[in-house]
Amino acid sequence: MTVPAESDVIYETHSILSYASEAFDYSFTTQSGQSTERGTRRQGWSLVRHVVLQPSAAPGQYQVTMNSVLKEDENMPIYLHEKTDYFTSQGIGKGAL
């Protein structure tokens, strides 16, 4: 695994639940060579974390990992979205500048 530098950008985009009939590793590179992906799955159900690294030394290149997290890390509660009174998105209307 590549250790990110301070100047690299790391995006944790989402986590998913995944089922694998047996443990496996995989990797591939897109045809353009712009993106590489690597991952590991444990046998059975596991929480899979999707992380994207954009190295500062390689603008426009992305390194994606989708790994099953450690069994002991699956115990943290995950919520889709808690109800709040805050705005979740906003925009600037025409003529507001």
Side-chain angles (χ1 to χ4, degrees):
M1 178 179 158
T2 304
V3 177
E6 276 189 45
S7 57
D8 295 342
V9 178
I10 301 171
Y11 304 96
E12 183 177 316
T13 59
H14 61 275
S15 295
I16 61 171
L17 287 175
S18 176
Y19 180 82
S21 57
E22 59 187 65
F24 66 92
D25 299 317
Y26 73 94
S27 67
F28 67 88
T29 301
T30 58
Q31 266 189 322
S32 67
Q34 185 177 9
S35 180
T36 59
E37 182 174 324
R38 289 178 168 60
T40 61
R41 295 294 186 284
R42 286 197 330 263
Q43 183 176 14
W45 286 101
S46 67
L47 180 65
V48 176
R49 186 134 309 127
H50 179 248
V51 177
V52 178
L53 173 67
Q54 183 180 15
S56 59
Q61 300 288 312
Y62 300 92
Q63 299 171 1
V64 180
T65 58
M66 290 190 67
N67 297 322
S68 292
V69 299
L70 298 173
K71 195 87 168 152
E72 55 269 19
D73 291 340
E74 290 184 348
N75 292 327
M76 79 177 182
I78 297 174
Y79 302 98
L80 291 177
H81 192 281
E82 290 188 36
K83 186 175 178 178
T84 67
D85 292 330
Y86 300 106
F87 290 110
T88 56
S89 64
Q90 62 187 32
I92 299 174
K94 186 176 180 179
L97 295 175

